[in-house]
Amino acid sequence: MSTPTPYPRYKLIFTVPHSSLSACKEAIFAAGAGTYPGGKYTRVCFEIPGTGYFTPGEGAVPNIGTVGKAERVEEMKVEILCVGREIMLGAVAALKSAHPYEEVAYEVYKMEDV
């Protein structure tokens, strides 16, 4: 049974190369994300391995790859719970700061209590 919370809950989802996975997670956890209401579980996330595919365009400064050339990178998709809007905003800022890519691929969803 989940612990109810008066704060809105968000799901932060992002992809990251394996070499930067720990740094991104640590930054996000330090921002307070990954803790379930009631504090019984902390530093919680779900990881799914996959392959990122992209082609850096004109004016890009890619961390990996070359402008104009398609690139495949082994990455991890990570999902982390954020309880409260301020925690979510802090987690997104931490992700953008720790992530190696010029353009960070991430999504944020507001969750419903049902």
Side-chain angles (χ1 to χ4, degrees):
M1 185 165 169
S2 64
T3 304
T5 176
Y7 300 103
R9 296 177 305 132
Y10 300 87
K11 180 71 62 123
L12 171 60
I13 303 170
F14 64 95
T15 57
V16 62
H18 294 277
S19 60
S20 298
L21 175 62
S22 290
C24 286
K25 285 179 12 184
E26 290 304 319
I28 292 167
F29 291 149
T35 298
Y36 273 69
K40 294 178 187 175
Y41 295 91
T42 62
R43 303 173 58 82
V44 177
C45 68
F46 188 75
E47 300 175 350
I48 308 156
T51 304
Y53 180 86
F54 58 90
T55 302
E58 184 81 26
V61 183
N63 178 271
I64 297 173
T66 305
V67 171
K69 182 181 174 204
E71 186 72 36
R72 290 186 181 283
V73 179
E74 294 304 310
E75 297 180 331
M76 193 69 75
K77 179 178 180 180
V78 182
E79 299 183 5
I80 298 181
L81 176 69
C82 302
V83 178
R85 183 170 174 77
E86 293 305 314
I87 296 292
M88 178 271 294
L89 293 172
V92 169
L95 170 63
K96 288 179 176 180
S97 178
H99 201 286
Y101 287 175
E102 182 178 23
E103 296 290 339
V104 181
Y106 72 96
E107 305 163 20
V108 174
Y109 297 97
K110 188 170 183 182
M111 299 170 67
E112 295 285 334
D113 282 323
V114 293

